Amino acid sequence: MGVGGGEMAAAAAVVEEEGKEEEEEEGEEGGWGWRARSKLSAALAVVWVVLVVTGVTALHRSLRHGALVKAEEGIVCMCEERARMLQDQFAVSVNHVHALAILVATFHYEKQPPALDQDTFADYTARTSFERPLLSGVAYAQRVMHADREAFERQQGWIIKTMKHEPSPPQDEYAPVIYSQETVSYIEGLDMMSGEEDRENILRSRATGKAVLTRPFRLMSNHLGVVLTFPVYLVDLPPDAKVEDRVAATAGYLGGAFDVESLVENLLRQLAGNQELVVNVYDVTNHSNPLVMYGSEVPLGAPSPSHTCMLDFGDPFRNHHMICRYRSEPHVPWSAITTPSGVFVILMLIGYIIYAAWNRYDSVTEDCRKMKALKKRAEAADVAKSQFLATVSHEIRTPMNGVLGMLDMLLDTELKSTQRDFAQTAQICGKALISLINEVLDRAKIEAGKLELESVPFDLRSILDEVVSLFSSKSREKGIELAVYVSERVPEILLGDPGRFRQIITNLVGNSIKFTERGHIFVQVHLADHSNLATEPKVESVANGINGHIDETSVVSTSVSHNTLSGFEAADSRNSWENFKALLSYDTNDMAYGSDSENVTLVVSVEDTGIGIPIHAQGRVFMPFMQADSSTSRNYGGTGIGLSISKCLVELMSGQINFVSRPNVGSTFTFTAVLQRCERNAINVSKSALLHPLPSSFQGLSTLLVDKRPVRATVTEYHLQRLGIASKSVHTIEQALSVLLGRNGTSLPRKQLSMLLVESDSWGLKMDVPLRTRFLEMKQNGCESVFPQVILLSLADSDKMKAEYGVHSVITKPLKASTLAACLFQSLGISITQANNEKKHHGPDSLYGLLLGKNILVVDDNKVNLRVAAGTLKKYGAKVECVESGKDALELLQVPHKFDLCLMDIQMPEMDGFEATRQIRAIEAKAHEQTDNADNSEAGSAAKKAQWHLPVLAMTADVIQATHEECTKYGMDGYVSKPFEEKQLFKAVQKFLGPSTSS
C-alpha cells in the first residue's frame, strides 16, 4: 500500500512537473504568438484603414459624378422645354401678323373704294393688341413704283421721306408706311426701303412669302427686339410660285416690332426652377459675331454645366439658339458626403467589433461556464424545492390523515349534541388546513410546470349545483341571494377537468360570500360568441382587473332599487337586465349554434354586491399572498392565494380572467375557458358515474311563478326547466289570479297546473287569507277543480315560513335542481321507491357497491393511519387486513393470495412502498413463467395472468406530480392522497373493482 502510494505520489510529481513545463512552453508560445498576432493585427488594421479610405474616396467620387450627370440631364430637360415654349409663343405672334396681313389685303385692295384707312387700322390694331402682347406696334408700308410716286404723294398729302425724315431721293420703288398702330405712328410716311437692312428684309420677304427678321436692336422701350416683315400680295399665290411672280404680285409689306426680352422673361416667369438657371438667346447668323437677343453677354459666376438649343423662328436666313446654364456651380449632394461617411463609420465599427469580439472571446467562454454552473445550481434548487414541498406535504398530511380519519369515525358513533358540535368544528378546521396545503402545493406545481389538466366528461350544471350546496348554508346565514344560471346553448356534457373548473368557481364564489353582507351573488355561464354580442357595446368606466388601471369609482346609494337579482346595484353595468334579455333571446332562438368546432369557449361571470376592491389594491389582486390591505385578513380571513391559482388555472384552460370592481358597490369577476364538446352516447361505463342525471318524474307538469324581479324569475325558470317543468312568471299575486282565471291568455294548460311558486318578497301583507278565499271561490264557480300547491321560495327557515304564511310547502334557497326536485317530490306526493334509494346508495356505481365483500390489504408503518384506513374501508363493506411493513406485505402476497386490492404507503422504514411493489411484480412475473411452462393453454394462461395482477395503489401524503411518475415507474396502478375522501377513493378504485372488471 505504501509502495503504491509512493509510486502514485511520484507519478503525480512527474505529471505536475510535466504540466509546469507544458504551461511554460505554452506560455512562451503564447507570448510569441501574442506578439505575432499583435503585429499582424496592427498591420491588418493599417491595411483595413487604407482600404476603407480608398473605398470611401472612390464612393464619394462616384456619387459626386452621378450627381453632376444628373444635373446635366436636368439642365438639358429644362433648356429643351424653354426653347420649345419660346418657339411656340413666337409662332403664335407670327400667325397674328400673318392674319393682319390678310386683313389688309382683303379690305384695302379687294374693296373698291378701299374699306380701310389709317383711322380704322389704328383703331383695329389698338383694340386687338391683346392678341399681340409681344409686339410693340405694327405698320403697313405700300409698294410704290417711281412712276407712281407723284400721284401717290398727291393722294396721301405728304411726301415720302427716308428713315432720317428727309425727302426720299429718286429710286426704282418705295415702301412708305401708310397705316400704323398708334404706338408707332411716328414712322408714318417713312420709306422702309431707305434703310439698308430694312430694304434687304423687304426684298427677302416678298421673294419667299415668309416672315423675315432683322438682327437685334434696341426698341423704344430700351428692350432688345427685332422687326418682323411679312409680304402682302394682291392675289393668292401657290406655295411653289416663282420669285418673279411673287415680286409682281407684291402690294405692300406688314411689319411689326417684336420685343424678344419681354417674350423670354414672361416665359421664364411661368416655369419653375427659373431662379436656378441663366438663359441667353443669341442671333448666330454670323457665327463669328453672335448677337445677344436676351441675357448678359458675360457669363455669370464660375463655369457650370450648360446646354445649347437651336431656335427656329421661321426665318430661313437667320439662325438663333438658346444657351442655358446654372446660376452657380451645382452643390455637392449631401448623399455624396453622408453616404461615404456612414460607410466609413460602419466599416470602422465592423473592424472594431471584430477586434473587440476576439478579445472578449475568453471572457465570454468563462461566462458560459459560470452560466452552466448557475443553471445546474438552479435545477438542483428546483429539485430541492420540490423535495421540500413533498416532505412538508407528507409530514403534515400524515398526522392530519389520522386526525380527520378519527374525527370521521368519531362522528359515526353516538354523540351528544355538544360533543358532535366539537367534533364537527375540529373536522372543519382540519379540512381548512388541508385546503390551504392543497393551494400552496397547487401554486408550487404551477410554478414548476407540473400541473396538468384532465380531460374527462362532466356535467357543468351539476358542478355548479355542488358549488351552490357548498355555500348554501353561509348564504342563508347572511341573507344574501346565491343563484346560478347556465345558458341553454351550453352543451350538457363537456370534456375537461371538472375538479379544476370547480376549484375556480369555488374560489370566486368563496371570495364573494366572504366579502358580501347584503344583496346577491350571481353566477352566469354563456357561450363566448353570444356573450360578446350582448356585451360588446358597453364599456364600463371603472378599474379593469387585467392591468389594474384606474378610471373612476362611484358610490351609489342602496336605497334605489335596480333591476338585478336582489335589487342592489352591480359593479359591471354590462350585466344589466337588458343585456341579460339579449342573451336569453339567443337561448330561445331555435337557430343552431353556428360553430362547427369541437372546442367550446365559455364565459363565466361571478357577480356580487359586496364591499368591492379598493382602487389602490386592484392592481395586485392576482398576485399570490396579496390582499387589499392588512385588515382584510383580520376581518375576513384567507391567505390571498386563491385568485392567483384561479388565474393560472384559467390560463391553462386557454382563457383569460378580469374583473370590474367599484368600492361599496361590488365586484364582477369574468373568465373564459376553452373546453370540448362531448356527446352522451360517447361516454363509456367507467365515466358515466361522473354524471348525475336528474329525475324525469316532472315531465309534462306546469307551474306559475310569482316574482317581482325578472332576473331572479329567469333563474327559477332555469331550474324548473331542467326538471322538465313548464313555467310562466308574473310579477304580482293579482296577475297570478288573472292567469288562473284565464284572463291573460296564458299558454299554460290549466288542468295540469300543479304548483304556484311565490317568492317571499313578492307575497303581500296578509295575502294568504284572500288567496285561499279566492281559491275557494274559483272552485265553487267551477273555474278550478284542484287546488294548486302553493309553494313559497324563501331564504329563511322552511318550517317557520310555512307556519307564518300558511302555504303548502316552503323551498329554502339557494335553488339547485336536486334540492328543488326533492322538495317537489314531497309537495306533490310523487313516490320514490325504496329500491331506487337502495340502488342509489348501494348500487355498483357507489363506493359501497364497489368495496362490498372485497379483500383489501393496507400497508402503512403508522398505526394511526392503519386504523383510519381500515375503519374507512370497513364502513363501505370491505374486508381489511393491515400490516406495518413492506416485508410483511410480501409474505401475504405470495401467489396465490386472496386480496383484490392493495393500498401501499410509500415512505416506510426497511423497505419502502416502491421496492415492495417492484418485488410484488417480480413475484407475479415468476408465477406467470411457471404457469407458461406448466400449461400451454393460451386462454387459461391469460386468465391466470389477469387474476394474479394485483392492483396496487400508493397511499401517500405527497401529491407532487413526481410521485405519480415514480408510482408508474415502479409498477403501481395509481395513487390516493392522504387524507382520502369518498369521491377520491371511488375514482381511484372504480377501474379495478368496477362491474366491467369483475365480469
Side-chain angles (χ1 to χ4, degrees):
M1 192 72 178
V3 175
E7 291 178 352
M8 292 176 63
V14 171
V15 171
E16 184 177 357
E17 291 294 331
E18 292 178 352
K20 289 182 179 179
E21 292 177 358
E22 291 179 356
E23 289 179 359
E24 291 177 357
E25 292 177 357
E26 290 178 357
E28 292 178 359
E29 293 177 357
W32 286 107
W34 179 81
R35 293 186 185 94
R37 287 195 299 271
S38 298
K39 294 180 179 179
L40 179 61
S41 62
L44 291 176
V46 172
V47 172
W48 176 258
V49 172
V50 171
L51 291 176
V52 169
V53 171
T54 303
V56 168
T57 303
L59 179 62
H60 172 72
R61 291 180 177 179
S62 176
L63 293 175
R64 186 170 182 177
H65 176 70
L68 184 60
V69 171
K70 187 175 181 181
E72 291 177 352
E73 293 176 354
I75 198 172
V76 169
C77 180
M78 290 187 289
C79 193
E80 293 287 349
E81 180 183 13
R82 284 158 175 75
R84 184 175 61 255
M85 295 184 68
L86 181 61
Q87 291 178 162
D88 293 342
Q89 292 191 13
F90 191 88
V92 171
S93 298
V94 171
N95 291 336
H96 283 297
V97 175
H98 190 186
L100 191 59
I102 295 173
L103 176 70
V104 172
T106 302
F107 291 95
H108 182 71
Y109 294 103
E110 294 181 4
K111 301 293 183 180
Q112 293 297 330
L116 190 65
D117 56 13
Q118 168 59 31
D119 294 336
T120 303
F121 185 86
D123 181 63
Y124 175 78
T125 54
R127 295 175 65 180
T128 59
S129 61
F130 67 90
E131 294 181 346
R132 303 175 302 278
L134 302 177
L135 293 175
S136 59
V138 292
Y140 174 69
Q142 183 176 338
R143 182 186 182 189
V144 179
M145 304 304 294
H146 180 70
D148 299 328
R149 175 176 179 175
E150 293 181 3
F152 174 79
E153 289 179 345
R154 285 195 304 270
Q155 181 183 0
Q156 297 295 331
W158 42 259
I159 62 173
I160 301 174
K161 298 179 181 180
T162 63
M163 299 297 291
K164 297 180 180 180
H165 293 273
E166 296 175 354
S168 177
Q171 53 188 18
D172 296 338
E173 60 177 301
Y174 309 92
V177 176
I178 62 174
Y179 300 145
S180 63
Q181 191 174 344
E182 186 177 354
T183 56
V184 291
S185 59
Y186 58 89
I187 65 173
E188 185 177 358
L190 297 182
D191 182 10
M192 292 293 102
M193 297 189 72
S194 61
E196 181 179 356
E197 185 173 358
D198 292 334
R199 179 183 181 85
E200 181 182 353
N201 283 350
I202 289 173
L203 295 178
R204 285 193 294 114
S205 172
R206 71 183 184 184
T208 59
K210 296 181 179 181
V212 295
L213 302 175
T214 64
R215 64 180 181 176
F217 65 93
R218 290 288 174 180
L219 302 176
M220 296 295 294
S221 60
N222 202 31
H223 287 181
L224 285 173
V226 294
V227 173
L228 174 68
T229 303
F230 211 96
V232 178
Y233 298 108
L234 295 174
V235 294
D236 293 333
L237 297 175
D240 57 348
K242 296 181 180 181
V243 175
E244 295 80 4
D245 297 336
R246 292 183 181 277
V247 172
T250 302
Y253 315 97
L254 188 67
F258 202 98
D259 192 341
V260 178
E261 287 192 12
S262 298
L263 171 63
V264 178
E265 287 178 357
N266 292 337
L267 172 65
L268 296 180
R269 278 198 298 268
Q270 297 174 11
L271 297 175
N274 183 38
Q275 295 79 4
E276 301 177 2
L277 295 181
V278 175
V279 177
N280 289 340
V281 180
Y282 294 94
D283 183 340
V284 291
T285 305
N286 183 2
H287 293 283
S288 61
N289 184 25
L291 302 176
V292 177
M293 298 179 68
Y294 175 81
S296 173
E297 297 184 6
V298 181
L300 299 177
S304 63
S306 62
H307 180 70
T308 301
C309 292
M310 299 305 297
L311 297 175
D312 183 9
F313 288 151
D315 187 350
F317 299 99
R318 286 199 173 274
N319 298 323
H320 305 84
H321 66 211
M322 175 188 290
I323 299 178
C324 302
R325 64 171 58 85
Y326 286 108
R327 190 174 297 275
S328 59
E329 184 74 16
H331 297 288
V332 178
W334 278 107
S335 59
I337 299 175
T338 57
T339 302
S341 301
V343 172
F344 176 79
V345 172
I346 291 173
L347 292 177
M348 296 303 294
L349 285 176
I350 291 175
Y352 176 76
I353 290 172
I354 295 174
Y355 176 77
W358 183 263
N359 289 340
R360 292 288 297 172
Y361 175 76
D362 293 336
S363 59
V364 171
T365 304
E366 179 65 16
D367 292 341
C368 290
R369 187 191 64 79
K370 291 180 179 179
M371 289 174 61
K372 291 180 179 179
L374 292 175
K375 180 176 179 292
K376 292 181 179 178
R377 291 176 60 185
E379 292 174 349
D382 184 62
V383 172
K385 175 183 176 182
S386 300
Q387 186 61 38
F388 171 76
L389 291 173
T391 303
V392 170
S393 170
H394 182 272
E395 296 300 326
I396 295 178
R397 283 174 173 271
T398 298
M400 285 304 301
N401 179 46
V403 173
L404 293 178
M406 288 300 179
L407 288 174
D408 190 45
M409 296 171 63
L410 178 63
L411 290 172
D412 289 338
T413 62
E414 295 183 1
L415 299 175
K416 295 180 181 179
S417 59
T418 304
Q419 295 171 336
R420 181 170 295 277
D421 180 63
F422 291 162
Q424 289 177 344
T425 303
Q427 188 181 46
I428 292 173
C429 294
K431 289 184 177 180
L433 179 58
I434 289 294
S435 177
L436 176 59
I437 295 172
N438 290 338
E439 289 182 348
V440 174
L441 291 176
D442 285 343
R443 184 69 195 181
K445 286 192 285 186
I446 291 172
E447 291 179 352
K450 295 180 179 179
L451 183 63
E452 297 180 357
L453 299 181
E454 290 183 322
S455 182
V456 297
F458 68 95
D459 186 352
L460 173 66
R461 294 165 178 82
S462 298
I463 285 182
L464 294 178
D465 285 347
E466 293 174 5
V467 175
V468 169
S469 298
L470 182 64
F471 297 103
S472 58
S473 176
K474 193 69 175 179
S475 65
R476 284 194 293 267
E477 290 178 7
K478 290 190 171 186
I480 58 179
E481 294 273 1
L482 174 60
V484 169
Y485 178 83
V486 181
S487 169
E488 292 183 11
R489 296 283 180 169
V490 177
E492 181 181 1
I493 307 299
L494 295 169
L495 274 179
D497 193 329
R500 297 302 180 183
F501 193 87
R502 182 190 298 108
Q503 184 177 358
I504 298 172
I505 300 294
T506 302
N507 283 339
L508 296 178
V509 176
N511 285 341
S512 297
I513 287 285
K514 186 189 305 181
F515 297 107
T516 303
E517 300 297 334
R518 84 284 185 276
H520 67 268
I521 298 170
F522 189 20
V523 182
Q524 300 183 56
V525 182
H526 300 278
L527 292 180
D529 293 344
H530 297 165
S531 179
N532 289 340
L533 288 174
T535 59
E536 277 177 356
K538 293 282 186 178
V539 178
E540 192 71 19
S541 58
V542 294
N544 190 313
I546 291 180
N547 46 25
H549 290 173
I550 299 172
D551 286 338
E552 62 179 352
T553 57
S554 58
V555 180
V556 181
S557 173
T558 58
S559 61
V560 180
S561 179
H562 297 270
N563 204 351
T564 60
L565 183 70
S566 62
F568 287 85
E569 183 184 8
D572 193 348
S573 63
R574 293 176 296 180
N575 287 346
S576 63
W577 168 240
E578 289 74 16
N579 287 330
F580 193 55
K581 282 194 299 184
L583 293 174
L584 293 178
S585 66
Y586 288 105
D587 293 346
T588 56
N589 191 353
D590 294 334
M591 182 178 63
Y593 179 54
S595 177
D596 296 331
S597 174
E598 294 183 358
N599 293 333
V600 177
T601 303
L602 302 181
V603 176
V604 185
S605 66
V606 180
E607 173 186 284
D608 67 62
T609 57
I611 62 175
I613 303 174
I615 296 298
H616 67 275
Q618 292 184 4
R620 59 175 187 267
V621 165
F622 293 113
M623 297 177 61
F625 304 105
M626 296 296 293
Q627 293 189 334
D629 52 43
S630 58
S631 63
T632 302
S633 180
R634 294 194 302 268
N635 297 336
Y636 300 98
T639 61
I641 196 174
L643 286 178
S644 173
I645 294 175
S646 298
K647 182 177 185 294
C648 296
L649 293 177
V650 167
E651 291 174 351
L652 287 176
M653 294 181 184
S654 302
Q656 294 182 343
I657 184 170
N658 56 22
F659 69 92
V660 173
S661 182
R662 297 163 62 188
N664 300 322
V665 175
S667 303
T668 301
F669 281 80
T670 305
F671 71 90
T672 59
V674 179
L675 305 175
Q676 292 182 330
R677 299 176 182 272
C678 180
E679 301 296 335
R680 183 177 288 273
N681 54 14
I683 303 174
N684 55 33
V685 178
S686 62
K687 295 182 179 180
S688 61
L690 299 175
L691 308 179
H692 306 283
L694 296 173
S696 58
S697 306
F698 304 102
Q699 297 290 337
L701 297 182
S702 61
T703 183
L704 186 61
L705 174 64
V706 181
D707 194 342
K708 64 181 181 180
R709 303 197 186 280
V711 177
R712 186 172 57 188
T714 302
V715 173
T716 305
E717 290 177 346
Y718 154 72
H719 290 289
L720 293 171
Q721 182 183 6
R722 292 177 62 191
L723 297 176
I725 301 175
S727 61
K728 177 179 178 59
S729 62
V730 294
H731 297 307
T732 62
I733 294 291
E734 290 77 9
Q735 293 178 353
L737 294 175
S738 299
V739 171
L740 292 175
L741 292 174
R743 296 175 181 173
N744 288 352
T746 177
S747 59
L748 293 173
R750 292 171 53 199
K751 292 183 179 180
Q752 298 181 7
L753 187 62
S754 306
M755 297 167 286
L756 177 63
L757 300 180
V758 184
E759 277 286 345
S760 59
D761 58 359
S762 299
W763 190 284
L765 296 176
K766 298 181 180 180
M767 182 57 69
D768 51 342
V769 176
L771 183 61
R772 286 183 174 273
T773 303
R774 291 304 302 268
F775 280 165
L776 289 175
E777 293 177 357
M778 291 165 62
K779 184 175 182 180
Q780 291 174 1
N781 295 333
C783 295
E784 288 289 339
S785 58
V786 179
F787 280 118
Q789 292 287 323
V790 181
I791 302 175
L792 189 68
L793 303 176
S794 175
L795 288 170
D797 181 72
S798 59
D799 295 335
K800 181 179 178 181
M801 297 294 294
K802 182 177 180 180
E804 181 179 351
Y805 286 90
V807 294
H808 295 93
S809 180
V810 176
I811 297 178
T812 306
K813 296 190 295 183
L815 294 179
K816 63 176 183 174
S818 57
T819 56
L820 183 61
C823 294
L824 294 181
F825 273 130
Q826 181 180 1
S827 301
L828 300 178
I830 301 176
S831 61
I832 307 175
T833 62
Q834 184 68 21
N836 289 337
N837 288 332
E838 291 296 329
K839 182 179 179 180
K840 177 180 177 181
H841 295 288
H842 304 295
D845 291 339
S846 66
L847 185 59
Y848 186 89
L850 290 177
L851 299 182
L852 180 61
K854 304 296 184 194
N855 292 299
I856 300 178
L857 177 63
V858 180
V859 185
D860 197 328
D861 62 321
N862 190 303
K863 295 183 179 180
V864 176
N865 288 341
L866 284 177
R867 292 182 61 187
V868 171
T872 302
L873 296 172
K874 289 178 181 179
K875 182 172 66 174
Y876 296 110
K879 299 177 182 179
V880 183
E881 189 167 343
C882 301
V883 293
E884 297 182 5
S885 68
K887 293 183 178 180
D888 296 339
L890 292 178
E891 295 178 1
L892 293 177
L893 294 178
Q894 295 294 327
V895 177
H897 55 75
K898 63 179 179 179
F899 296 102
D900 302 298
L901 180 69
C902 176
L903 298 179
M904 179 81 69
D905 186 25
I906 292 180
Q907 297 182 4
M908 295 183 295
E910 297 184 9
M911 181 182 294
D912 60 13
F914 294 145
E915 179 62 22
T917 303
R918 190 185 65 80
Q919 294 194 21
I920 291 173
R921 298 307 179 209
I923 293 173
E924 293 175 348
K926 185 177 181 181
H928 294 162
E929 293 178 0
Q930 294 175 357
T931 302
D932 291 339
N933 296 332
D935 187 0
N936 294 327
S937 174
E938 184 177 354
S941 176
K944 290 179 180 289
K945 287 181 181 180
Q947 181 181 0
W948 290 342
H949 182 83
L950 177 68
V952 179
L953 300 180
M955 187 173 57
T956 177
D958 177 11
V959 294
I960 300 295
Q961 183 67 20
T963 300
H964 182 268
E965 296 173 356
E966 292 292 324
C967 293
T968 305
K969 177 180 177 182
Y970 286 96
M972 291 184 172
D973 299 283
Y975 75 97
V976 291
S977 61
K978 300 177 185 178
F980 48 78
E981 298 178 350
E982 179 179 353
K983 291 183 180 179
Q984 178 196 14
L985 187 59
F986 175 81
K987 181 179 178 181
V989 304
Q990 181 189 20
K991 57 183 177 180
F992 304 112
L993 303 180
S996 59
T997 305
S998 300
S999 60

